[in-house]
């Protein structure tokens, strides 16, 4: 069996990369990690077979390190979407198997506002949202339009709730801009959700799409704290509907990879069970 080598642009010490290591070894896939540190979680569990396949110590956004990684592997993938899509576009053609997910998909997903526009244009259910300039007046106008509380979000470089600010009164606008470091913003109407669910969806290079069972996620301070798998509800159709929506969302990206699709469960006025599902796509791995 021919061994393929996959290069992984890692973040936060390669915790997700570490999860790839065991299944990759069983499939005879070699991994080379690029992240900061010599003994990060992923590097601890995947020993290079040859000095040519040594892991790389460097930032996943560093163009020269990305090129070095590309020179050692057949295919590049990412642990998190906040990578340098421009450099990935440049190295894509130098790799026998390319970059997955494709740099254009990464570009769409890494800007949450563009991601929402993309999903909406494909008819997927998303919460109401608008672009907001990084000024006090624009933030206050968004709050007047959508009401309070207002969910202000950084368009880029957001994860674990770090790009979110819940505006509860108009006079917090200045503090919100400061907290979100004056990055490009957008606002979402507050969603009074009953619960949060997520589906991991896999898309192959030939376009085949499959999903894992729906799970329920419990967040603490915007960070995923507990996962109940599988998701259980009185109406088993909800879990299937969530999978259909998640698969439909991933089919809009012409790209291979494993995508996490996060959704809000909303109570339908007509029933006391969760039957309407709102969706946001947040993460790609
Ligand atoms: N429009 C919204 N209304 C209410 N709560 C929200 C809204 N958007 C996000 N949240 C809450 O904030 C959490 C993090 O938001 P999310 O967009 O998933 O950011 P991240 O990319 O940091 O995970 C969500 O899991 C949810 O609990
Ligand atoms: Mg999220």
């Amino acid at each position: 069996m021919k061994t393929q080598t996959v290069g992984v642009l890692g973040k936060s010490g390669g915790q997700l990369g570490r999860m790839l290591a065991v299944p990759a070894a069983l499939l005879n896939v070699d991994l080379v990690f690029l992240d900061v540190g010599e003994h990060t979680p992923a590097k601890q569990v995947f020993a290079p077979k040859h000095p040519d396949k040594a892991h790389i110590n460097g930032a996943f956004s560093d163009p020269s390190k990305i090129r070095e990684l590309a020179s050692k592997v057949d295919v590049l993938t990412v642990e998190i979407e906040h990578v340098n899509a421009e450099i990935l576009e440049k190295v894509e053609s130098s790799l026998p198997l390319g970059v997955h997910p494709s740099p254009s998909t990464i570009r769409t997903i890494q800007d949450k506002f563009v991601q929402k526009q993309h999903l909406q244009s494909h008819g997927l259910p998303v919460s109401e949202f608008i672009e907001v300039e990084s000024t006090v007046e624009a933030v206050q106008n968004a709050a007047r339009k959508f009401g309070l509380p207002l969910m202000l979000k950084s368009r880029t470089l957001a994860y674990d709730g770090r790009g979110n600010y819940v505006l509860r009164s108009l006079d917090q606008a200045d503090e919100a801009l400061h907290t979100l470091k004056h990055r490009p913003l957008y606002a979402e109407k507050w969603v009074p959700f009953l619960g949060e669910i997520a589906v991991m969806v896999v898309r192959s290079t030939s376009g085949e799409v499959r999903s894992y069972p729906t799970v329920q996620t419990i967040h603490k301070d915007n960070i995923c704290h507990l996962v109940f798998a599988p998701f259980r509800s009185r109406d088993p159709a909800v879990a299937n509907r969530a999978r259909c929506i998640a698969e439909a969302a991933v089919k809009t990206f012409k790209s291979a990879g494993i995508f996490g699709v996060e959704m809000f469960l909303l109570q339908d006025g007509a029933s006391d069970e969760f039957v309407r599902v709102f969706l946001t796509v947040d993460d790609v791995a």
Side-chain angles (χ1 to χ4, degrees):
M1 186 159 129
K2 185 181 175 314
T3 305
Q4 305 283 9
T5 306
V6 179
V8 185
L9 273 69
K11 164 82 176 142
S12 308
Q15 293 167 32
L16 295 174
R18 183 175 170 124
M19 294 182 201
L20 286 177
V22 173
L26 296 177
L27 292 167
N28 200 28
V29 170
D30 280 346
L31 298 177
V32 181
F33 291 101
L34 162 61
D35 62 358
V36 178
E38 294 287 355
H39 304 288
T40 58
K43 289 170 183 170
Q44 286 166 22
V45 295
F46 205 97
K49 281 189 197 141
H50 191 269
D52 285 356
K53 305 280 177 194
H55 299 307
I56 303 172
N57 186 353
F60 67 82
S61 53
D62 181 336
S64 68
K65 298 285 180 182
I66 296 173
R67 287 201 181 91
E68 185 186 339
L69 179 65
S71 71
K72 296 177 171 211
V73 301
D74 302 297
V75 57
L76 269 190
T77 191
V78 300
E79 269 193 309
I80 188 164
E81 68 272 31
H82 305 306
V83 292
N84 189 331
E86 212 173 299
I87 304 295
L88 291 181
E89 249 151 33
K90 288 186 182 141
V91 300
E92 196 175 17
S93 55
S94 69
L95 292 161
L97 301 175
V99 178
H100 302 285
S102 72
S104 67
T105 293
I106 292 173
R107 210 187 272 284
T108 303
I109 285 173
Q110 68 186 187
D111 182 327
K112 286 185 171 200
F113 177 71
V114 174
Q115 181 198 111
K116 277 251 152 56
Q117 283 182 314
H118 169 93
L119 292 171
Q120 192 176 48
S121 73
H122 285 85
L124 285 146
V126 291
S127 48
E128 280 185 72
F129 65 99
I130 44 164
E131 194 171 10
V132 176
E133 258 182 69
S134 299
T135 64
V136 167
E137 206 192 357
V139 170
Q140 291 179 340
N141 283 342
R144 285 191 194 99
K145 182 176 163 69
F146 283 156
L148 293 167
L150 177 76
M151 182 54 100
L152 260 184
K153 293 190 180 181
S154 169
R155 287 174 55 159
T156 54
L157 302 175
Y159 67 100
D160 284 350
R162 268 164 233 198
N164 291 2
Y165 188 98
V166 181
L167 192 85
R168 298 192 184 275
S169 74
L170 291 183
D171 58 19
Q172 284 180 310
D174 197 31
E175 190 193 308
L177 291 171
H178 186 72
T179 307
L180 296 174
K181 301 186 178 69
H182 300 272
R183 289 208 293 255
L185 302 178
Y186 79 103
E188 283 181 21
K189 193 169 175 167
W190 186 257
V191 180
F193 57 78
L194 294 172
E196 295 185 75
I197 54 178
V199 179
M200 296 305 294
V201 182
V202 183
R203 190 181 201 278
S204 73
T205 45
S206 59
E208 193 185 350
V209 172
R210 297 279 177 91
S211 58
Y212 284 90
T214 305
V215 301
Q216 182 169 14
T217 56
I218 313 283
H219 287 73
K220 217 186 211 177
D221 299 330
N222 287 295
I223 298 179
C224 186
H225 180 64
L226 273 178
V227 173
F228 291 108
F231 165 67
R232 293 203 184 107
S233 76
R234 271 187 283 156
D235 179 0
V238 177
N240 285 338
R241 178 156 153 65
R243 281 175 80 169
C244 288
I245 291 176
E247 288 181 17
V250 170
K251 280 178 189 163
T252 68
F253 299 107
K254 305 285 167 259
S255 207
I258 304 174
F259 301 81
V261 182
E262 297 182 340
M263 284 164 271
F264 294 133
L265 281 168
L266 294 179
Q267 186 155 6
D268 191 305
S271 150
D272 66 354
E273 179 55 302
F274 312 146
V275 289
R276 251 170 82 210
V277 181
F278 259 147
L279 171 144
T280 61
V281 178
D282 280 310
D283 303 304
V284 53

Short mmCIF file of all heavy atoms in Angstrom, two decimals, residues 130-146 150 152 167 170 173-174 177 185-187:
data_model
loop_
_atom_site.label_atom_id
_atom_site.label_comp_id
_atom_site.label_asym_id
_atom_site.label_seq_id
_atom_site.Cartn_x
_atom_site.Cartn_y
_atom_site.Cartn_z
N ILE A 130 -26.55 41.37 9.84
CA ILE A 130 -26.16 42.49 8.98
C ILE A 130 -24.70 42.86 9.24
O ILE A 130 -24.18 42.65 10.33
CB ILE A 130 -26.98 43.81 9.19
CG1 ILE A 130 -27.17 44.09 10.68
CG2 ILE A 130 -28.25 43.85 8.41
CD1 ILE A 130 -27.61 45.54 10.91
N GLU A 131 -24.12 43.43 8.20
CA GLU A 131 -22.75 43.93 8.33
C GLU A 131 -22.80 45.19 9.20
O GLU A 131 -23.75 45.96 9.11
CB GLU A 131 -22.22 44.28 6.93
CG GLU A 131 -20.76 44.49 6.89
CD GLU A 131 -20.24 44.62 5.45
OE1 GLU A 131 -21.06 44.75 4.52
OE2 GLU A 131 -19.02 44.60 5.29
N VAL A 132 -21.78 45.39 10.04
CA VAL A 132 -21.76 46.56 10.92
C VAL A 132 -20.37 47.19 10.83
O VAL A 132 -19.37 46.52 11.00
CB VAL A 132 -22.02 46.13 12.39
CG1 VAL A 132 -21.91 47.33 13.32
CG2 VAL A 132 -23.38 45.49 12.54
N GLU A 133 -20.36 48.50 10.54
CA GLU A 133 -19.07 49.20 10.55
C GLU A 133 -18.57 49.29 11.99
O GLU A 133 -19.38 49.30 12.92
CB GLU A 133 -19.30 50.62 10.06
CG GLU A 133 -18.89 50.85 8.62
CD GLU A 133 -19.11 52.31 8.28
OE1 GLU A 133 -18.38 53.16 8.80
OE2 GLU A 133 -20.05 52.55 7.50
N SER A 134 -17.25 49.39 12.15
CA SER A 134 -16.70 49.43 13.52
C SER A 134 -16.78 50.85 14.09
O SER A 134 -15.75 51.46 14.42
CB SER A 134 -15.26 48.92 13.52
OG SER A 134 -15.24 47.60 13.07
N THR A 135 -18.01 51.37 14.21
CA THR A 135 -18.21 52.67 14.85
C THR A 135 -19.36 52.55 15.85
O THR A 135 -20.24 51.68 15.68
CB THR A 135 -18.62 53.78 13.82
OG1 THR A 135 -19.89 53.42 13.27
CG2 THR A 135 -17.61 53.91 12.70
N VAL A 136 -19.34 53.42 16.86
CA VAL A 136 -20.38 53.38 17.89
C VAL A 136 -21.76 53.54 17.26
O VAL A 136 -22.71 52.82 17.57
CB VAL A 136 -20.10 54.49 18.94
CG1 VAL A 136 -21.30 54.70 19.84
CG2 VAL A 136 -18.86 54.14 19.75
N GLU A 137 -21.85 54.48 16.32
CA GLU A 137 -23.15 54.75 15.69
C GLU A 137 -23.68 53.52 14.95
O GLU A 137 -24.86 53.18 15.06
CB GLU A 137 -22.97 55.93 14.73
CG GLU A 137 -24.24 56.67 14.53
CD GLU A 137 -24.17 57.64 13.36
OE1 GLU A 137 -23.09 57.78 12.74
OE2 GLU A 137 -25.21 58.22 13.07
N ALA A 138 -22.81 52.86 14.20
CA ALA A 138 -23.24 51.69 13.43
C ALA A 138 -23.68 50.55 14.34
O ALA A 138 -24.68 49.87 14.07
CB ALA A 138 -22.10 51.23 12.52
N VAL A 139 -22.95 50.37 15.46
CA VAL A 139 -23.33 49.32 16.41
C VAL A 139 -24.70 49.64 17.00
O VAL A 139 -25.59 48.77 17.09
CB VAL A 139 -22.26 49.18 17.52
CG1 VAL A 139 -22.74 48.28 18.64
CG2 VAL A 139 -20.94 48.66 16.94
N GLN A 140 -24.89 50.91 17.37
CA GLN A 140 -26.18 51.30 17.96
C GLN A 140 -27.31 51.16 16.95
O GLN A 140 -28.42 50.73 17.29
CB GLN A 140 -26.08 52.72 18.51
CG GLN A 140 -25.16 52.78 19.73
CD GLN A 140 -25.01 54.16 20.30
OE1 GLN A 140 -25.27 55.17 19.62
NE2 GLN A 140 -24.56 54.24 21.55
N ASN A 141 -27.04 51.48 15.68
CA ASN A 141 -28.08 51.33 14.65
C ASN A 141 -28.47 49.86 14.47
O ASN A 141 -29.64 49.54 14.28
CB ASN A 141 -27.61 51.89 13.31
CG ASN A 141 -27.68 53.41 13.30
OD1 ASN A 141 -28.38 53.99 14.13
ND2 ASN A 141 -26.94 54.03 12.39
N ALA A 142 -27.47 48.98 14.55
CA ALA A 142 -27.77 47.54 14.43
C ALA A 142 -28.65 47.10 15.59
O ALA A 142 -29.60 46.32 15.41
CB ALA A 142 -26.46 46.75 14.42
N ALA A 143 -28.36 47.63 16.79
CA ALA A 143 -29.15 47.28 17.97
C ALA A 143 -30.58 47.82 17.85
O ALA A 143 -31.54 47.17 18.26
CB ALA A 143 -28.47 47.81 19.23
N ARG A 144 -30.70 49.01 17.24
CA ARG A 144 -32.05 49.56 17.05
C ARG A 144 -32.84 48.70 16.06
O ARG A 144 -34.02 48.49 16.20
CB ARG A 144 -31.97 51.00 16.55
CG ARG A 144 -31.56 51.96 17.64
CD ARG A 144 -31.71 53.42 17.27
NE ARG A 144 -31.00 54.22 18.25
CZ ARG A 144 -29.77 54.72 18.09
NH1 ARG A 144 -29.13 54.54 16.95
NH2 ARG A 144 -29.20 55.41 19.05
N LYS A 145 -32.12 48.18 15.05
CA LYS A 145 -32.79 47.36 14.02
C LYS A 145 -33.20 45.99 14.58
O LYS A 145 -34.33 45.56 14.39
CB LYS A 145 -31.82 47.18 12.84
CG LYS A 145 -32.40 46.39 11.68
CD LYS A 145 -31.38 46.35 10.54
CE LYS A 145 -31.65 45.28 9.52
NZ LYS A 145 -32.83 45.46 8.71
N PHE A 146 -32.27 45.33 15.28
CA PHE A 146 -32.53 43.95 15.73
C PHE A 146 -33.00 43.85 17.19
O PHE A 146 -33.42 42.79 17.63
CB PHE A 146 -31.25 43.10 15.59
CG PHE A 146 -30.95 42.66 14.18
CD1 PHE A 146 -29.66 42.32 13.80
CD2 PHE A 146 -31.96 42.54 13.23
CE1 PHE A 146 -29.36 41.90 12.51
CE2 PHE A 146 -31.69 42.11 11.94
CZ PHE A 146 -30.40 41.79 11.58
N LEU A 150 -28.10 42.21 21.58
CA LEU A 150 -27.65 42.03 20.20
C LEU A 150 -26.36 41.22 20.24
O LEU A 150 -25.50 41.46 21.07
CB LEU A 150 -27.36 43.40 19.58
CG LEU A 150 -26.82 43.40 18.16
CD1 LEU A 150 -27.93 43.10 17.16
CD2 LEU A 150 -26.17 44.75 17.81
N LEU A 152 -23.00 40.76 18.76
CA LEU A 152 -22.02 41.36 17.85
C LEU A 152 -20.90 40.36 17.65
O LEU A 152 -20.41 39.78 18.63
CB LEU A 152 -21.40 42.59 18.52
CG LEU A 152 -21.88 43.96 18.16
CD1 LEU A 152 -21.02 44.97 18.90
CD2 LEU A 152 -21.85 44.24 16.67
N LEU A 167 -24.29 42.66 23.35
CA LEU A 167 -24.60 44.06 23.67
C LEU A 167 -25.97 44.10 24.36
O LEU A 167 -26.98 43.71 23.77
CB LEU A 167 -24.64 44.87 22.37
CG LEU A 167 -24.67 46.38 22.53
CD1 LEU A 167 -23.24 46.90 22.67
CD2 LEU A 167 -25.33 47.04 21.33
N LEU A 170 -27.42 50.22 24.72
CA LEU A 170 -26.76 50.99 23.65
C LEU A 170 -25.45 51.60 24.11
O LEU A 170 -24.52 51.77 23.33
CB LEU A 170 -27.71 52.09 23.16
CG LEU A 170 -28.95 51.62 22.39
CD1 LEU A 170 -29.74 52.82 21.90
CD2 LEU A 170 -28.58 50.71 21.23
N ALA A 173 -21.77 50.19 23.38
CA ALA A 173 -21.22 50.08 22.01
C ALA A 173 -19.71 50.33 21.98
O ALA A 173 -18.96 49.60 21.32
CB ALA A 173 -21.95 51.05 21.09
N ASP A 174 -19.28 51.35 22.73
CA ASP A 174 -17.86 51.69 22.73
C ASP A 174 -17.02 50.55 23.32
O ASP A 174 -16.00 50.14 22.76
CB ASP A 174 -17.68 52.99 23.56
CG ASP A 174 -16.34 53.63 23.28
OD1 ASP A 174 -15.85 53.49 22.14
OD2 ASP A 174 -15.78 54.24 24.21
N LEU A 177 -16.69 47.64 20.88
CA LEU A 177 -15.67 47.85 19.83
C LEU A 177 -14.28 47.62 20.40
O LEU A 177 -13.42 47.01 19.74
CB LEU A 177 -15.77 49.27 19.28
CG LEU A 177 -17.02 49.57 18.46
CD1 LEU A 177 -17.12 51.05 18.15
CD2 LEU A 177 -17.00 48.75 17.17
N LEU A 185 -16.72 43.78 11.76
CA LEU A 185 -17.80 43.17 12.54
C LEU A 185 -19.05 42.88 11.71
O LEU A 185 -19.23 43.45 10.64
CB LEU A 185 -18.24 44.13 13.66
CG LEU A 185 -17.21 44.59 14.68
CD1 LEU A 185 -17.86 45.56 15.65
CD2 LEU A 185 -16.63 43.40 15.42
N TYR A 186 -19.89 42.04 12.26
CA TYR A 186 -21.27 41.95 11.80
C TYR A 186 -22.12 41.67 13.03
O TYR A 186 -21.58 41.38 14.11
CB TYR A 186 -21.43 40.90 10.69
CG TYR A 186 -21.50 39.47 11.16
CD1 TYR A 186 -22.72 38.80 11.21
CD2 TYR A 186 -20.35 38.79 11.56
CE1 TYR A 186 -22.80 37.49 11.63
CE2 TYR A 186 -20.43 37.48 11.99
CZ TYR A 186 -21.64 36.83 12.03
OH TYR A 186 -21.72 35.54 12.47
N ALA A 187 -23.44 41.82 12.87
CA ALA A 187 -24.32 41.57 14.02
C ALA A 187 -25.35 40.53 13.67
O ALA A 187 -25.78 40.42 12.51
CB ALA A 187 -25.01 42.87 14.42
#
